[in-house]
């Protein structure tokens, strides 16, 4: 992966606004800022950043465009994912949400929001830009916390404007965060405590949150194979603040009530969870971040056709797994995308399926 220290991203995005400019990932990648005005959480002016991949091949895109949304302590750097979609004929875009990755500014708290619905603003604008550039049909791909944010947005969008009218045709979720991991009391008596602290001491950091097991399994400076910006994706993660965790729990509660995202969804996850406080070889073949049983349990709450596929020996981000499970994840996604294309054609022209 590319080392991303040679370009001052904040200077580019603040000075150029809606113009596409070179991105930190190098040749073939561009970015543009999405200004969002004053932060509703009081940390100055904020923006999001949309990244696009323009391969040198010049081949015309033949499939729906893709918008990728990252998770917590994350941003878009997975060039192999962009290249895979481009090879299939998709125009690829990725969104760094407000105060995340490319969008983080001095004095702001990484990833901090007190309401997940705040993200609707940049999601709506990213969708508008992508449809304007790449056509009317869009596939969404989201990882971890992004896998909670995006279904909640789709549910709201479906209830107001209709997902089909918005041009969204499907959703791929990579280890979505559907419930709070850990002992059961975190999800019972712990949730009211999170709610109270999140309301009255929102910026208070949750103790004991600094564990580098997952980061150590990924980054090449430790035991991994991937290179990315450790200022934007620290090995031990970003601080977990109670105001943000309260927003997450409210999102979980809404999901558990049942959503209607309006499109078919593929959910990829590891087959195994292994919580570890220090890195060991087991961290390379399991999800060390989320409880995969919770992903399985709550996936039915999305409210449309869902296909849940466990990937043997996958990490939390299945597309950052070692070579064999990573290849299996791509194979499963490609198979589902082929099915989705047929499903869409039949839906658009029922006589074609006769």
């Amino acid at each position: 992966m590319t080392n991303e220290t040679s370009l001052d991203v904040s200077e580019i995005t603040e000075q150029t606004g809606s113009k596409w400019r070179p991105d930190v990932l190098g040749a073939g990648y561009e970015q543009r800022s999405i200004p969002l005005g004053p932060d509703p959480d009081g940390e100055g002016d904020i923006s999001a950043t949309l990244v696009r991949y323009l391969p040198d091949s010049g081949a015309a895109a033949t499939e729906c465009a893709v918008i990728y949304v990252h998770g917590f302590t994350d941003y878009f750097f997975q060039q192999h994912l962009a290249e895979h979609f481009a090879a299939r004929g998709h125009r690829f875009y990725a969104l760094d949400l407000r105060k995340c990755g490319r969008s983080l500014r001095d004095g702001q708290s990484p990833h901090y929001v007190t309401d997940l619905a705040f993200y609707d603003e940049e999601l709506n604008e990213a969708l508008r830009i992508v449809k304007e550039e790449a056509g009317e049909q869009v596939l969404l791909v989201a990882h971890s916390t992004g896998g909670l944010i995006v279904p909640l947005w789709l549910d709201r969008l479906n209830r107001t404007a209709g997902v089909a009218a918005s041009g969204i045709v499907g959703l791929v979720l990579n280890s979505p965060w559907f419930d709070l991991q850990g002992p059961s009391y975190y999800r019972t008596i712990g949730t009211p405590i999170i709610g109270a602290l999140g309301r009255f001491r929102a910026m208070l950091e949750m103790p004991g949150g600094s564990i580098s097991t997952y980061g150590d399994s990924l980054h090449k400076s430790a035991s991994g194979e991937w290179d990315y910006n450790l200022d934007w994706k620290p090995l031990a993660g970003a601080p977990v603040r109670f105001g943000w965790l309260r927003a997450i729990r409210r999102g979980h509660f809404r999901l558990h009530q049942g959503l209607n995202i309006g499109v078919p969804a593929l959910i990829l996850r590891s087959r195994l969870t292994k919580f570890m406080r220090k890195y060991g070889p087991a961290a390379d073949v399991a999800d060390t971040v989320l409880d995969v049983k919770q992903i399985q349990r709550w996936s039915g709450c999305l409210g449309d056709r869902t296909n849940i596929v466990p990937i043997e020996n996958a990490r939390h981000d299945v597309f950052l797994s070692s070579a064999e499970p990573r290849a299996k994840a791509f194979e499963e996604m490609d198979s589902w995308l082929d099915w989705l294309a047929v499903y869409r054609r039949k839906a658009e022209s029922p006589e074609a399926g006769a």
Side-chain angles (χ1 to χ4, degrees), residues 6 81 90 124 131 166 172-173 211 262 285 327 344:
S6 60
L81 186 63
H90 300 268
N124 287 334
K131 288 174 62 179
S166 302
V172 176
L173 296 179
I211 300 175
V285 294
R344 286 166 47 208

Side-chain angles (χ1 to χ4, degrees), residues 1 3 215-216 218-228 235:
M1 302 301 295
N3 190 317
D216 289 342
L218 295 180
H219 200 267
K220 70 176 190 178
S221 67
S223 300
E225 62 178 289
W226 306 98
D227 189 15
Y228 49 81
L235 293 181

